[in-house]
Amino acid sequence: MILKQFYLNCLAHASYLIGDEGTQTAAVVDPQRDIDQYLSFASEHGLAIKHVFLTHFHADYVAGHLELRDRTGARIYLGAAAQAEYAFTPLHDGDVVDFGRVRLKALETPGHTAESISIVVYDRDRSDTEPHAVLTGDTLFIGDVGRPDLRVALGWSAADLGGLLYESLRTKLLTLPDASLVYPAHGAGSLCGKAISKETVSTLGEQRRSNYALQPMSKTAFVEMVTTDQPDAPPYFTYDAVLNSKERPTLDEALARELNPMTLDQVLALKEVGAQMLDTRDPTEFAAAHLAGSVNIGLGGQYATWAGTVLNRDRPIVIIADPGRESESAVRLGRIGFDHVVGYLTDGLRSLESRPDLTATTERVSAPLAAERLAATDPPLAVDVRTPRECEAKRIKDSVNIPLNHLAERLAELPANRPLLVFCAGGYRSSIAASLLQRHGFTHVTEIAGGFAAWETAHLPVIS
């Protein structure tokens, strides 16, 4: 048996390929939408992908089940409680898919979602009765469990799903042997849980000992615990969860429509009618020069998550990227179902060399210079765009906290005529924030280069 984990850092997403060398058959579990890595791995190992499983309708990305179906003819499997527009095989509790010496057994583990399943993996060359691993989807993470509140917009009560999660963990997953490997669908940084470990594999015994949510407690206490202090879910989460149940264009079909090189005049015409200008370059390059009115979400950070948070799904997107990175910019948007890219600016910012009147800059100052300005008699307003949890731990005196994911809806709280000094932890989110503020007409916007980390490194005062 082959069991390969694929980990996508920018979405903190884990997917899996399980193969049987004897029958040259493979299954893929929770694939990302761009599937070439699974096809390449299968080809290198002489495997044919014949099965594709979703442990649930993921909210934070669009899965690649339709792409694998169309490219390989793989059969799609979902939990029996799922409803979808495409043909699939429903898996009830205890249903088994065998190929060669591999056995995959479904456990219905509702709680994170109503249709959630976990997949118990048996390597029958080792044992017919003792599982080798369990793929837990978003039911059980390393150090955490799935949040039950992401289906509220679809009519599910977080408390009801929390109760189901309590039962699924205790009557299904915790009945498996301690030696069973635990492979979840997400790691640290995912918004599908609140305290996920950076580790991507563990054992059930270790989780039984160390996972705070698996300790003895009443159902009432558990539900209260897993429904409080969850991070804000981006607005695209419900959209993606629904999209994963739909028959939709594949990523290749979307990219064939989107990757159109455009002249500067074409881009400006689209900008005039409300298209979103998305600059995917590094924040430092964006600060030095950018198309006025564009939004910076750099490819070097949690690009798709923030694009899905601050961009509008109903307005077309034009990409401004470093030449050669246009496709990457569109693919990573496609991973969250943002298929409304209409093209990209040919040659990127080089197209603006003869039109300096169209460019803007963002001032970035060192932490010591920022401190000098804040100590002046007429200081700028320091705007902290980190999360409330980050701000509560340590902050800059007299700063106001407006988390980036709420900035657009709270612009009225900011003074129009006072300079703004924006910062985050390291400079990535502040660049997004500054570009949004400039797009909305704030003309005196400065960033702290290096963010709060640079402020602390310079030994400047903080409030703990």
Side-chain angles (χ1 to χ4, degrees):
M1 185 182 79
I2 296 170
L3 200 167
K4 166 70 174 176
Q5 182 185 69
F6 297 84
Y7 198 79
L8 181 63
N9 282 298
C10 62
L11 289 176
H13 162 228
S15 54
Y16 301 89
L17 183 146
I18 304 110
D20 175 69
E21 292 184 301
T23 58
Q24 298 181 309
T25 300
V28 178
V29 179
D30 292 332
Q32 64 191 63
R33 195 176 177 198
D34 43 322
I35 60 169
D36 285 349
Q37 61 184 340
Y38 311 114
L39 300 176
S40 296
F41 184 87
S43 176
E44 290 166 6
H45 291 81
L47 302 170
I49 298 172
K50 297 183 179 180
H51 312 281
V52 55
F53 297 77
L54 295 191
T55 56
H56 62 290
F57 293 134
H58 295 271
D60 59 320
Y61 72 97
V62 175
H65 51 303
L66 301 187
E67 282 76 6
L68 283 170
R69 177 199 67 185
D70 289 358
R71 291 276 291 275
T72 71
R75 174 180 289 187
I76 297 172
Y77 300 82
L78 304 173
Q83 295 181 345
E85 291 181 350
Y86 44 83
F88 68 91
T89 299
L91 292 174
H92 297 83
D93 211 49
D95 283 351
V96 167
V97 177
D98 283 329
F99 46 98
R101 301 299 294 164
V102 173
R103 169 166 289 170
L104 304 180
K105 185 174 81 171
L107 294 180
E108 291 186 271
T109 51
H112 177 65
T113 71
E115 78 285 348
S116 289
I117 58 172
S118 298
I119 299 170
V120 186
V121 181
Y122 292 86
D123 179 354
R124 298 172 68 193
D125 282 335
R126 299 185 184 188
S127 173
D128 279 330
T129 57
E130 294 291 304
H132 171 67
V134 56
L135 309 185
T136 54
D138 285 13
T139 299
L140 174 63
F141 297 126
I142 309 305
D144 202 357
V145 293
R147 59 191 294 180
D149 63 326
L150 294 181
R151 293 296 185 270
V152 172
L154 300 176
W156 289 95
S157 157
D160 288 346
L161 285 176
L164 292 173
L165 182 61
Y166 179 87
E167 297 295 339
S168 294
L169 293 166
R170 282 154 176 79
T171 66
K172 301 289 181 65
L173 291 178
L174 288 179
T175 65
L176 298 173
D178 280 357
S180 306
L181 295 173
V182 175
Y183 286 108
H186 288 100
S190 168
L191 295 174
C192 293
K194 58 183 176 181
I196 307 176
S197 167
K198 68 180 186 298
E199 303 299 327
T200 61
V201 62
S202 183
T203 65
L204 200 58
E206 176 57 31
Q207 290 309 295
R208 196 190 308 273
R209 289 187 293 273
S210 63
N211 190 316
Y212 74 96
L214 300 185
Q215 303 314 303
M217 69 184 80
S218 69
K219 182 186 289 190
T220 300
F222 176 86
V223 170
E224 182 178 357
M225 181 179 65
V226 297
T227 54
T228 58
D229 295 326
Q230 292 288 0
D232 288 344
Y236 71 91
F237 268 30
T238 298
Y239 171 75
D240 279 11
V242 172
L243 192 58
N244 276 319
S245 71
K246 302 289 188 183
E247 184 69 49
R248 52 155 179 80
T250 64
L251 182 60
D252 286 345
E253 291 169 338
L255 293 175
R257 185 177 67 246
E258 295 172 1
L259 290 175
N260 304 306
M262 291 182 166
T263 66
L264 178 59
D265 286 342
Q266 289 174 311
V267 169
L268 294 175
L270 285 166
K271 181 173 180 282
E272 192 68 26
V273 296
Q276 301 168 102
M277 303 291 113
L278 172 61
D279 191 318
T280 68
R281 296 175 302 142
D282 180 85
T284 303
E285 295 176 358
F286 179 86
H290 55 266
L291 175 64
S294 57
V295 174
N296 177 229
I297 309 175
L299 291 171
Q302 288 186 305
Y303 166 76
T305 299
W306 283 114
T309 299
V310 304
L311 297 181
N312 191 313
R313 286 200 311 274
D314 300 321
R315 291 167 51 202
I317 295 171
V318 176
I319 290 170
I320 303 171
D322 285 323
R325 303 197 75 180
E326 300 90 354
S327 179
E328 178 189 354
S329 300
V331 166
R332 290 173 64 180
L333 290 177
R335 288 175 181 162
I336 62 165
F338 270 49
D339 291 350
H340 48 293
V341 173
V342 292
Y344 62 88
L345 178 60
T346 301
D347 292 331
L349 211 69
R350 294 176 194 164
S351 297
L352 292 167
E353 288 177 352
S354 62
R355 294 295 306 274
D357 56 305
L358 298 174
T359 63
T361 62
T362 306
E363 184 183 28
R364 298 190 121 197
V365 299
S366 68
L369 180 53
E372 284 183 26
R373 292 188 181 181
L374 291 173
T377 55
D378 188 18
L381 177 64
V383 182
D384 184 342
V385 298
R386 297 175 301 157
T387 65
R389 186 174 296 179
E390 291 173 285
C391 188
E392 286 163 9
K394 291 180 181 179
R395 61 188 175 88
I396 296 174
K397 183 183 178 182
D398 295 330
S399 61
V400 297
N401 179 220
I402 303 182
L404 176 57
N405 58 320
H406 293 293
L407 181 62
E409 70 206 50
R410 295 177 59 182
L411 292 174
E413 299 177 27
L414 296 174
N417 299 318
R418 182 178 175 186
L420 303 177
L421 181 65
V422 183
F423 67 95
C424 63
Y428 181 82
R429 285 172 289 176
S430 66
S431 184
I432 302 173
S435 65
L436 287 172
L437 290 167
Q438 289 177 323
R439 191 179 72 173
H440 282 92
F442 291 85
T443 54
H444 301 290
V445 180
T446 302
E447 293 179 68
I448 300 179
F452 193 79
W455 183 276
E456 286 198 293
T457 300
H459 305 292
L460 293 165
V462 299
I463 297 174
S464 299

